[in-house]
Amino acid sequence: MRTSVRMLTVGAAAGLLLGCVSGPAVSKGADGADRSRVLVFSKTAGFRHDSIPEGIAAVRELGATGGFAVDATEDAGAFTARNLARYDAVVFLSTTGDVLDTTQQSAFERYIKRGGGYVGIHAAADTEYDWAFYGGLAGAYFQSHPAIQPATVTVEDRSHPATSGLPRSWERTDEWYNYRSNPRDRAHVLASLDESSYTGGTMNGDHPIAWCQEYRGGRAFYTGGGHTKESYAEPAFRQHLLGGIRYAIGAAQADCRPENGYRPLFDGTTESLTAWKQAGPGSFSLSDDGTLTSHGGLGMLWYAGSEFGSYSLKLDWQVAGDDNSGVFVGFPESEDPWSAVDNGYEIQIDATDAPDRTTGAVYSFQSADVKKRDRALNPPGEWNTYEIRVEGERLRVWLNGVKINDFTNTDPVRSLRDGHIGLQNHGADDQVSFRDVRIKELPTKGD
């Protein structure tokens, strides 16, 4: 969570009405602990969406249940360094046109660079066309839209809190924006539109509609949904917004680096499991939502389709509680899971053991950077994303986009230059789930 300067000011409650909230104030939860605070900004200098009141009400309700306080304003005077320091994120709710002057823009730029969060909803992309910083923060500018109609949203990232609870194909009705540029190379795309499912898409079949990124020191989330009043009553869309806000305020972690060039090894379908084999006891079950969950063990589901020598492996994982599992790399083909233990390396998932045997550790060989790991780690019940990058004998680990381990192998028996990858099912008492295993093969280079 971003550190905010908060002081108690008499009369601050009055500032919770629409308008500038002047003077920092402490937000306390029922238990007396400080809560995150979000500012909803909905000033319009162009088209005005009649769904703005519903949007404000929805964010307030999400805050009441999600543990963050919400203020709302249409007064650009709220964009001062002192006032913005009160907030963990600012939500631009269907803003349009030029809504901030140069002084206010400068204050907001400094706020983002100091770790502030941004959430853009729908027409936030139809805002501040002459302010390059904002355009980069939002990710793309609005170009046009067809009539309101149903469409299929393809959920590309199913670990981010904004999309982890959504189906792989999300059917909903909204006003679907076309954008002047594709943000995929700059931001991490969470969901895209299937342009064959509706009429009026103009982005040549690659049509991002929700994305996130780390931008100039801050966190940014944008969703193109939210034109209609009905959107803010949809449970799935509300959960989508809540996850985006939680990411922006730092209450949930996610890998929001751009992701291009990966191919799936397991994409949630039965067909994608044909190249995988189970070694040893136990198994994994595949649920309707495309999640693999471990049962029994000690065994391992390993990818037998090919070996890999220089690659970036990404996968999403979740533990139910105090559960043990790991991702194995660099081991030879074998029906014995202990061959991977003896000849490869395990990247541990369990966070409750000794430092060299917990989340992000190269098991029993090198601990992760524990402070970075702890800041990046989502708790049991939430999804995490690993990137495991192997180049020569060098093995690096990113957790939710944060590099937490950098290890170099010196044991010829455990050479990383060729080998298989696998997912461990550790035992009957351990319940671990995996999603979306994908790989990008990298050019071979020396150590």
Side-chain angles (χ1 to χ4, degrees):
M1 182 185 302
R2 178 179 163 273
T3 302
S4 298
V5 179
R6 297 175 184 163
M7 299 167 54
L8 183 61
T9 300
V10 176
L16 301 184
L17 301 173
L18 290 179
C20 178
V21 184
S22 60
V26 172
S27 175
K28 297 284 188 180
D31 59 359
D34 288 359
R35 292 193 297 171
S36 298
R37 184 177 286 277
V38 169
L39 177 65
V40 179
F41 182 55
S42 54
K43 180 181 178 180
T44 55
F47 181 84
R48 185 168 182 84
H49 286 74
D50 63 4
S51 60
I52 287 175
E54 284 76 9
I56 294 171
V59 176
R60 288 193 186 279
E61 291 164 5
L62 293 173
T65 58
F68 55 89
V70 178
D71 299 341
T73 188
E74 297 203 352
D75 184 353
F79 284 72
T80 66
R82 181 169 180 261
N83 193 54
L84 289 173
R86 305 173 62 237
Y87 298 100
D88 297 279
V90 179
V91 179
F92 279 62
L93 173 60
S94 283
T95 50
T96 54
D98 296 329
V99 291
L100 300 178
D101 65 25
T102 54
T103 299
Q104 294 155 357
Q105 290 174 358
S106 295
F108 189 60
E109 287 190 24
R110 291 193 298 272
Y111 165 79
I112 294 295
K113 290 175 180 177
R114 291 171 180 169
Y118 165 87
V119 173
I121 301 175
H122 194 57
D126 189 23
T127 301
E128 296 288 355
Y129 289 95
D130 296 326
W131 181 16
F133 180 92
Y134 181 84
L137 179 68
Y141 283 121
F142 164 80
Q143 182 177 59
S144 64
H145 65 78
I148 296 170
Q149 60 190 297
T152 299
V153 178
T154 300
V155 176
E156 298 189 23
D157 183 329
R158 303 183 62 226
S159 66
H160 192 283
T163 46
S164 63
L166 297 176
R168 283 173 287 182
S169 292
W170 184 23
E171 309 291 337
R172 62 180 308 271
T173 297
D174 216 319
E175 180 184 78
W176 303 112
Y177 276 8
N178 300 305
Y179 300 96
R180 297 185 181 186
S181 61
N182 191 318
R184 190 176 294 276
D185 289 338
R186 305 181 302 277
H188 180 68
V189 175
L190 302 174
S192 56
L193 288 173
D194 178 355
E195 289 192 335
S196 70
S197 69
Y198 73 107
T199 59
T202 64
M203 298 187 69
N204 300 314
D206 184 13
H207 195 143
I209 197 64
W211 53 81
C212 63
Q213 61 176 319
E214 294 185 5
Y215 186 78
R216 306 282 184 89
R219 295 181 174 207
F221 165 80
Y222 172 83
T223 180
H227 173 86
T228 66
K229 294 180 180 181
E230 293 79 8
S231 296
Y232 298 99
E234 293 177 34
F237 186 74
R238 288 167 66 98
Q239 192 66 27
H240 177 57
L241 283 185
L242 176 61
I245 293 170
R246 292 187 68 235
Y247 166 74
I249 66 178
Q253 310 305 314
D255 187 348
C256 283
R257 297 172 297 164
E259 183 174 316
N260 296 296
Y262 287 80
R263 64 181 176 90
L265 298 181
F266 165 68
D267 63 7
T269 64
T270 302
E271 293 75 17
S272 66
L273 285 174
T274 58
W276 295 76
K277 293 183 178 181
Q278 178 69 32
S283 64
F284 284 85
S285 61
L286 176 61
S287 64
D288 290 341
D289 71 353
T291 298
L292 285 172
T293 301
S294 66
H295 301 279
L298 190 150
M300 185 177 62
L301 183 67
W302 61 285
Y303 186 77
S306 64
E307 292 184 289
F308 301 102
S310 185
Y311 56 90
S312 168
L313 174 71
K314 283 193 173 185
L315 56 107
D316 307 327
W317 58 268
Q318 181 188 84
V319 295
D322 180 8
D323 298 295
N324 196 324
S325 183
V327 181
F328 279 86
V329 297
F331 58 91
E333 179 175 350
S334 176
E335 298 298 322
D336 179 3
W338 289 100
S339 175
V341 175
D342 295 334
N343 298 285
Y345 285 107
E346 177 186 2
I347 313 306
Q348 178 58 265
I349 286 175
D350 172 38
T352 61
D353 207 331
D356 66 344
R357 300 175 182 223
T358 64
T359 309
V362 180
Y363 188 84
S364 79
F365 288 92
Q366 182 167 295
S367 171
D369 183 316
V370 174
K371 290 183 178 179
K372 288 184 178 179
R373 188 276 312 275
D374 288 350
R375 288 195 295 268
L377 180 64
N378 287 321
E382 297 185 17
W383 287 94
N384 291 275
T385 298
Y386 266 162
E387 180 190 2
I388 300 170
R389 191 180 303 176
V390 174
E391 295 177 281
E393 299 293 355
R394 187 181 185 189
L395 188 163
R396 286 173 286 174
V397 181
W398 281 258
L399 173 64
N400 296 323
V402 177
K403 189 171 78 170
I404 60 170
N405 210 334
D406 192 338
F407 171 79
T408 298
N409 170 60
T410 58
D411 183 350
V413 173
R414 298 178 183 271
S415 177
L416 290 165
R417 294 184 181 278
D418 286 294
H420 291 274
I421 63 171
L423 311 175
Q424 185 184 61
N425 54 297
H426 187 270
D429 296 329
D430 299 297
Q431 185 177 18
V432 179
S433 297
F434 296 94
R435 277 182 179 174
D436 296 332
V437 183
R438 61 263 195 208
I439 199 163
K440 178 167 67 174
E441 296 188 70
L442 305 174
T444 301
K445 62 182 182 179
D447 294 339

